[in-house]
Amino acid sequence: MAVKILAETLLSIRHIAKRFGDNTVLDDLSLDVHKGEVIVVVGPSGCGKSTLLRCINALEPIQAGEILLDGEPIKPDGKNITELRQKVGMVFQSYDLFPHLSVLDNIVLAPRKVQKRAKAEAEAEALTLLERVGLKDKAASYPRELSGGQKQRVAIVRALCMHPEMLLFDEVTAALDPEMVREVLDVILKLATQGRTMLIVTHEMQFARAIADRVIFLDGGNILENTPPEIFFTNPQTERARQFLNMFEFAAVKHHAPAED
Amino acid sequence: MPDLGLSVLLKGKNMARLLGGLWVALRISLIAVAISLPLGILLGVLMAGKNRVVKAILRVYLEFIRIMPQMVLLFLGFFGTTRAFGWNISAELAAIIVFTLWGTAEMSDLVRGAIISIPRHQYESSQALGLNKRQTYFYIILPQAARRLIPLSINLITRMIKTTSLVLMIGVVEVLKVAQQIIEANRMTSPNAAFGLYLTVFVLYFLACWPISLLARYLEKKWR
Ligand SMILES: Nc1ncnc2c1ncn2[C@@H]1O[C@H](COP(=O)(O)OP(=O)(O)OP(=O)(O)O)[C@@H](O)[C@H]1O
Ligand SMILES: [Mg+2]
């Protein structure tokens, strides 16, 4: 993979702490994301990957530290929070389309109501984006008429239509049937080639390896590894990362000729 | 064939009087419904909100109305106010007020239930798109809650219409009262009139509520 010249910092997470009651989920965590960078976040279940993304989008308040986007602090009760959220697109694991709106209306709702864009212009862009993910003919359908993979592609388009500077993906394929995982990952891969800045949480290790500029390994509330994928997957620096990666390996099982009866 | 006493209906203006009585009952319930629905939506939104004091007050209101039999509420609203405050409101107005208080309370609880049944990720994906609280409510939560509310609120409306038969207890001459008057007046000539008249009242209530149920089913199918 070509080494990207590090562009300016888009997102700066500085010494943040996140607690739920006594449960400290993120502890003095810092991370910089540069423009155009694709960062994959991995780690065991419950280590706080979703929480980290939710803090970045101010869906969760943080107890210490700060998160800066373009140099501006992100706070749930901040005055400019809706402007900042427009710069960050997020796609969740659960299908989060609005069930009462058609695909097209799902996509243009925020551009129209939040960004006050003209209906014709927003719809034209939505249709172009839908076409790119192969769903133009579904514009008038309702979410319940779509497969899981189609729903996630619409959710991605919905985020893109707001022209975000950065995209957050939280295990967007985890709830999908295996045969639908690929169609969604392909869309995300295409976004990476367009130079999008992305923070991706995933359990698809092959995909992580293919797309990431950097892999972040999160455990025990902090970042244990922050390395290019070639290093992370072949020569992880910490024991915990090694153990984590081992979970994805399967020992060969011999099927032939039972040794004893 | 047994004499069902239906012939009494054809005597004089009896049928017209019954329909007039039905109109009185419907007028009371429809005015009460028309006020209860918007008011109930407003209170329901507040009950689903975060303000503890407001929620507690509304809870007390709801429980109070729920615990009281509607008959007691009617007596309280009509005779009670006359005695205690010297108000001299008509029985029909008292009935409208009581039914509005009741309908608003029940409606607000339905609205609250519908709102809190909307999954949290609906709020979050809306916020993540940059919609503020008000826009999230207006474009995402309330439309979905409304769809869940349709069958429930239709049920409430038919219950309100049916319960108007109680208002004869405070002297409102509605359909049931008219029926009783007609039965009373014809006791000598057609002793069987009771069955026929109550049957007619049954049919009239059915005809009033049936289209509403049909509408509910139609909307449910359309908005699924
Ligand atoms: N709203 C909440 N209230 C209390 N605790 C929470 C809340 N959300 C998350 N947690 C806790 O925070 C920790 C991290 O959760 P999080 O969902 O971020 O993990 P994750 O890394 O995304 O896991 P997974 O891979 O299973 O999705 C967990 O211990 C979880 O129980
Ligand atoms: Mg998670």
Side-chain angles (χ1 to χ4, degrees):
Chain A
M1 183 177 289
V3 175
K4 284 185 189 167
I5 307 294
L6 284 190
E8 58 192 294
T9 305
L10 180 60
L11 178 81
S12 184
I13 300 172
R14 296 187 185 159
H15 305 287
I16 64 165
K18 172 68 204 172
R19 284 184 287 273
F20 292 106
D22 297 338
N23 180 11
T24 300
V25 178
L26 302 175
D27 184 16
D28 193 28
L29 182 147
S30 297
L31 175 70
D32 275 352
V33 180
H34 305 97
K35 275 215 171 92
E37 226 182 350
V38 177
I39 295 185
V40 168
V41 182
V42 299
S45 183
C47 71
K49 304 180 295 292
S50 300
T51 304
L52 174 62
L53 295 201
R54 292 165 57 81
C55 288
I56 295 172
N57 212 354
L59 291 173
E60 296 283 356
I62 51 178
Q63 278 73 46
E66 59 179 356
I67 302 176
L68 303 173
L69 183 72
D70 278 337
E72 284 200 69
I74 297 183
K75 292 195 206 112
D77 47 5
K79 242 198 324 206
N80 55 351
I81 185 62
T82 57
E83 279 88 67
L84 285 169
R85 277 196 177 125
Q86 290 172 50
K87 297 188 185 177
V88 181
M90 183 156 178
V91 182
F92 302 78
Q93 169 180 344
S94 55
Y95 315 128
D96 55 347
L97 296 181
F98 306 128
H100 62 298
L101 297 178
S102 69
V103 164
L104 190 62
D105 287 339
N106 258 280
I107 299 169
V108 300
L109 177 71
R112 295 203 51 216
K113 304 302 175 190
V114 179
Q115 296 178 329
K116 312 284 181 214
R117 282 154 62 185
K119 184 172 186 217
E121 180 267 328
E123 289 188 348
E125 181 177 1
L127 288 172
T128 311
L129 290 169
L130 276 175
E131 187 162 29
R132 272 191 220 154
V133 300
L135 290 176
K136 194 176 183 189
D137 55 328
K138 299 287 185 194
S141 303
Y142 281 81
R144 64 176 181 286
E145 299 162 345
L146 303 182
S147 74
Q150 292 171 332
K151 280 187 222 178
Q152 288 300 56
R153 282 184 278 160
V154 172
I156 293 171
V157 165
R158 188 174 67 179
L160 287 177
C161 208
M162 292 294 282
H163 307 151
E165 293 183 17
M166 156 166 217
L167 289 163
L168 309 176
F169 293 102
D170 189 1
E171 299 195 40
V172 291
T173 58
L176 296 181
D177 290 336
E179 68 268 26
M180 290 168 189
V181 168
R182 187 60 199 245
E183 64 190 42
V184 175
L185 295 185
D186 279 343
V187 170
I188 302 176
L189 278 167
K190 220 190 279 174
L191 294 175
T193 61
Q194 294 165 6
R196 297 266 182 186
T197 314
M198 299 194 278
L199 204 57
I200 303 170
V201 173
T202 184
H203 283 300
E204 303 283 338
M205 291 301 150
Q206 299 284 343
F207 169 70
R209 200 166 179 163
I211 199 171
D213 294 317
R214 267 196 289 161
V215 177
I216 303 285
F217 177 66
L218 204 61
D219 195 11
N222 219 315
I223 295 176
L224 296 191
E225 306 242 357
N226 182 352
T227 51
E230 305 87 70
I231 297 179
F232 180 76
F233 287 106
T234 55
N235 187 20
Q237 307 299 298
T238 60
E239 180 57 30
R240 279 210 249 159
R242 251 188 301 266
Q243 285 170 358
F244 173 75
L245 286 172
N246 270 338
M247 296 191 314
F248 294 90
E249 306 285 340
F250 292 93
V253 177
K254 308 243 190 277
H255 290 289
H256 45 261
E260 63 255 38
D261 46 30
Chain B
M1 184 168 156
D3 174 16
L4 296 180
L6 288 169
S7 57
V8 173
L9 283 175
L10 305 173
K11 278 202 337 209
K13 292 191 184 142
N14 282 352
M15 195 61 209
R17 283 177 62 201
L18 268 184
L19 287 174
L22 181 70
W23 171 237
V24 171
L26 285 181
R27 191 167 56 202
I28 292 173
S29 44
L30 291 183
I31 293 176
V33 163
I35 307 174
S36 298
L37 294 191
L39 220 54
I41 291 172
L42 185 71
L43 296 193
V45 169
L46 290 174
M47 279 170 87
K50 288 217 174 73
N51 191 322
R52 292 244 182 96
V53 180
V54 171
K55 280 164 82 168
I57 293 171
L58 292 176
R59 196 80 231 166
V60 170
Y61 165 59
L62 175 65
E63 291 303 328
F64 176 80
I65 300 279
R66 278 249 172 103
I67 289 167
M68 289 288 201
Q70 274 101 36
M71 191 96 87
V72 177
L73 282 176
L74 279 173
F75 285 159
L76 209 62
F78 184 56
F79 303 117
T81 52
T82 315
R83 274 290 162 80
F85 308 110
W87 295 352
N88 201 1
I89 55 178
S90 74
E92 190 175 331
L93 181 60
I96 290 174
I97 293 173
V98 165
F99 273 79
T100 303
L101 288 174
W102 174 51
T104 302
E106 294 285 350
M107 186 66 190
S108 69
D109 199 40
L110 296 180
V111 171
R112 184 193 65 88
I115 289 176
I116 62 174
S117 74
I118 307 293
R120 199 170 68 131
H121 61 76
Q122 287 287 314
Y123 290 85
E124 293 185 341
S125 26
S126 172
Q127 283 173 23
L129 284 167
L131 278 80
N132 61 29
K133 286 232 164 71
R134 209 163 35 82
Q135 291 171 322
T136 298
Y137 248 84
F138 201 73
Y139 296 116
I140 307 300
I141 305 306
L142 290 182
Q144 289 184 53
R147 282 160 173 75
R148 292 175 196 214
L149 263 179
I150 293 294
L152 303 170
S153 48
I154 299 275
N155 186 316
L156 175 63
I157 292 171
T158 46
R159 258 164 69 215
M160 285 172 78
I161 292 176
K162 285 184 289 189
T163 315
T164 47
S165 54
L166 289 179
V167 300
L168 70 93
M169 300 302 294
I170 57 172
V172 179
V173 183
E174 46 66 77
V175 59
L176 203 57
K177 185 75 193 172
V178 173
Q180 286 179 350
Q181 287 171 349
I182 296 175
I183 294 164
E184 214 36 41
N186 294 280
R187 206 171 39 190
M188 296 306 166
T189 49
S190 355
N192 282 342
F195 185 78
L197 275 157
Y198 287 134
L199 186 71
T200 310
V201 171
F202 166 82
V203 172
L204 289 179
Y205 267 112
F206 179 80
L207 290 178
C209 293
W210 179 239
I212 301 178
S213 292
L214 283 182
L215 177 70
R217 214 171 317 154
Y218 168 75
L219 286 176
E220 234 178 305
K221 225 182 260 162
K222 188 172 162 224
W223 279 1
R224 250 174 48 88

